[in-house]
Amino acid sequence: MHAETESIARAKTHNTTVHQSFRFAVKLSLVVFCISVCAIPVQAQNSIDSLSWLAGHWMYEGSSKKQEEYWMAPSGGMMLGLHRDVSANGKTFFEYLRIVERDGALHFHASPGGKVETVFIADSLAPGFVRFINPTHDYPQRIQYARDSDGMLRASISDAEGGKVRSWRFRPVE
């Protein structure tokens, strides 16, 4: 009888160990799966290719000023852009723009009037939306682009808290 009790106890211990091992394997598999699935969007999200919606020729026409932005399609880890303002009185302004993919992040380089560039880092990215920040810059500290459902491009600049907002709605130029 004693041998039979020991045999039953060993079987229960073995079954418990097998069950615990199975539960651990399932949990481990779930963790590995979640990490791999969650890592894919993060890597793809920080890719310059995720900004392909920004490429094109864009125009905003206000009552006293025409503004244009040109963005080349992503290639070689970067997008090149150019901004130009032409006022009704003939005054002009231009800015060289560049977005580069570096060290797992997107960097926005702005060079107003061809002067020394200021770099902003993407801190928010979603399909059809990107926001770049540089809290140490005087103004702007945020630069944001969003593609609206009607095909228009919204661009805005603001301070670090989202105040002092200036925004434009660009239409695509055919």
Side-chain angles (χ1 to χ4, degrees), residues 125-151:
L125 190 58
F129 174 84
V130 64
R131 181 178 64 207
F132 300 93
I133 61 165
N134 180 338
T136 63
H137 189 248
D138 55 357
Y139 184 86
Q141 294 170 320
R142 289 184 184 179
I143 299 172
Q144 180 170 301
Y145 289 96
R147 186 79 181 261
D148 291 337
S149 60
D150 63 359

Side-chain angles (χ1 to χ4, degrees), residues 26-143:
V26 168
K27 286 179 184 178
L28 182 61
S29 297
L30 222 86
V31 168
V32 169
F33 173 76
C34 287
I35 289 172
S36 65
V37 168
C38 294
I40 291 169
V42 170
Q43 291 167 353
Q45 191 175 31
N46 288 331
S47 164
I48 193 74
D49 293 331
S50 67
L51 297 181
S52 61
W53 54 268
L54 184 58
H57 178 189
W58 303 94
M59 185 176 296
Y60 167 83
E61 294 182 85
S63 59
S64 63
K65 188 187 301 184
K66 178 172 81 171
Q67 297 180 325
E68 295 176 277
E69 282 202 15
Y70 295 87
W71 282 101
M72 295 175 73
S75 183
M78 77 169 77
M79 291 180 75
L80 298 176
L82 177 66
H83 178 96
R84 173 176 61 182
D85 294 350
V86 179
S87 298
N89 64 9
K91 289 181 115 181
T92 60
F93 167 81
F94 73 94
E95 185 171 22
Y96 296 123
L97 307 168
R98 180 169 47 113
I99 302 173
V100 296
E101 182 181 334
R102 187 174 60 240
D103 301 326
L106 296 174
H107 300 246
F108 181 96
H109 298 251
S111 180
K115 297 179 181 162
V116 175
E117 69 183 17
T118 302
V119 180
F120 299 78
I121 308 295
D123 78 325
S124 183
L125 190 58
F129 174 84
V130 64
R131 181 178 64 207
F132 300 93
I133 61 165
N134 180 338
T136 63
H137 189 248
D138 55 357
Y139 184 86
Q141 294 170 320
R142 289 184 184 179
I143 299 172

